[in-house]
Amino acid sequence: MRVEIWSDIACPWCYVGKARFEKALAAFPHRDEVEVVHRSFELDPGRAKDDVQPVITMLTGKYGMSEAQAEAGEDNLGAQAAAEGLPYRTRGRDHGSTFDMHRLLHLAREQGRQTELLDLLYRANFAEERSVYNDDERLVELAGAAGLDADAARRVLADPEAYADGVRADEREAAELGATGVPFFVLDRTYGVSGAQPAEVFARALSQAWAERPTPKPVGGGSGAADGQDGGEACGPDGCAVPRR
């Protein structure tokens, strides 16, 4: 079964939601048969790379809230993160474009290191003092820590078209699926779960999606060797059949 997760590194609920989903997945009996793919979604698409500002300033300007309201919201998010065992700096964080981070995540997926890089980007953005915005060398350091080649990461960052199509394709697909915000979880292209739901909700969704997976139907000259019909050679729990001359 495949679970696709649309998210943005700048999204605190994506940070919290990922932890809740992983808690449910860890307890899922078929967890080793679940493939998780992270897909791109920018909360602030088109934002210039050098347009970086404090989170509190962004919140007051974008949503028209007071500074006290913005700070209270950050305090609440900090408490939600702490409940999931996640570090979270409620003051002093920056906000900016995440486009380059998403491009690096596409590179990381090719190398089988997507989850490692995403975890490092989340932690750097929400828990560490040094900003991840408009700082290519910071992103290169994180890519290297995730197991990627640093020079390959630099080449991606130096070429604004590298993996850009992949990011845009993910975002178009999210729109086609009806996602207007993140995190957005899609299970086997059958069920969608929106938002940082409690782990119990993810657990129910995993179980339901697994139970409703289609059962493969035999194709060939018969229904299979098990009932005496013509079946192709296969391996089973007792080993593989040995052809007889």
Side-chain angles (χ1 to χ4, degrees), residues 99-182:
F99 186 58
D100 283 349
M101 298 180 221
H102 285 295
R103 295 195 300 117
L104 284 178
L105 284 166
H106 277 262
L107 169 67
R109 183 183 176 191
E110 287 186 350
Q111 303 296 319
R113 310 299 294 178
Q114 189 184 48
T115 298
E116 290 81 358
L117 180 56
L118 182 59
D119 284 341
L120 287 169
L121 288 169
Y122 273 143
R123 181 171 290 268
N125 183 50
F126 290 109
E128 297 176 5
E129 186 172 350
R130 184 177 171 186
S131 177
V132 293
Y133 300 103
N134 197 24
D135 186 346
D136 285 359
E137 280 307 303
R138 174 64 165 147
L139 296 183
V140 168
E141 289 174 9
L142 294 169
L148 299 178
D149 179 75
D151 289 336
R154 282 194 188 90
R155 286 193 294 272
V156 169
L157 293 172
D159 178 5
E161 297 304 314
Y163 298 100
D165 288 346
V167 175
R168 298 306 183 213
D170 279 356
E171 293 174 336
R172 285 195 301 272
E173 196 164 12
E176 291 167 2
L177 290 169
T180 57
V182 286

Side-chain angles (χ1 to χ4, degrees), residues 10-232:
C11 166
W13 287 117
C14 296
Y15 180 47
V16 172
K18 181 175 181 292
R20 292 175 177 172
F21 169 76
E22 288 176 346
K23 183 182 295 183
L25 182 61
F28 185 55
H30 308 286
R31 59 186 175 277
D32 293 337
E33 298 174 73
V34 177
E35 176 192 12
V36 178
V37 178
H38 296 280
R39 299 205 179 276
S40 300
F41 190 106
E42 295 170 275
L43 290 173
D44 206 349
R47 190 183 186 100
K49 183 172 180 174
D50 61 355
D51 184 4
V52 181
Q53 62 183 156
V55 166
I56 298 298
T57 303
M58 180 275 293
L59 291 172
T60 57
K62 186 173 183 178
Y63 299 106
M65 59 179 64
S66 68
E67 185 172 320
Q69 288 172 322
E71 290 178 346
E74 282 294 284
D75 290 340
N76 176 56
L77 282 163
Q80 297 277 351
E84 304 303 328
L86 300 173
Y88 190 99
R89 295 177 67 234
T90 60
R91 301 291 186 274
R93 292 191 302 107
D94 283 340
H95 177 80
S97 171
T98 57
F99 186 58
D100 283 349
M101 298 180 221
H102 285 295
R103 295 195 300 117
L104 284 178
L105 284 166
H106 277 262
L107 169 67
R109 183 183 176 191
E110 287 186 350
Q111 303 296 319
R113 310 299 294 178
Q114 189 184 48
T115 298
E116 290 81 358
L117 180 56
L118 182 59
D119 284 341
L120 287 169
L121 288 169
Y122 273 143
R123 181 171 290 268
N125 183 50
F126 290 109
E128 297 176 5
E129 186 172 350
R130 184 177 171 186
S131 177
V132 293
Y133 300 103
N134 197 24
D135 186 346
D136 285 359
E137 280 307 303
R138 174 64 165 147
L139 296 183
V140 168
E141 289 174 9
L142 294 169
L148 299 178
D149 179 75
D151 289 336
R154 282 194 188 90
R155 286 193 294 272
V156 169
L157 293 172
D159 178 5
E161 297 304 314
Y163 298 100
D165 288 346
V167 175
R168 298 306 183 213
D170 279 356
E171 293 174 336
R172 285 195 301 272
E173 196 164 12
E176 291 167 2
L177 290 169
T180 57
V182 286
F184 185 63
F185 302 77
V186 177
L187 291 74
D188 254 5
R189 291 298 171 108
T190 303
Y191 290 97
V193 179
S194 181
Q197 300 288 344
E200 294 79 9
V201 173
F202 289 122
R204 288 198 298 271
L206 286 166
S207 295
Q208 188 167 353
W210 183 268
E212 297 186 18
R213 296 173 72 221
T215 302
K217 297 180 180 179
V219 176
S223 59
D227 58 2
Q229 301 297 322
D230 293 334

Side-chain angles (χ1 to χ4, degrees), residues 226-241:
D227 58 2
Q229 301 297 322
D230 293 334
E233 290 79 5
C235 295
D238 298 322
C240 301

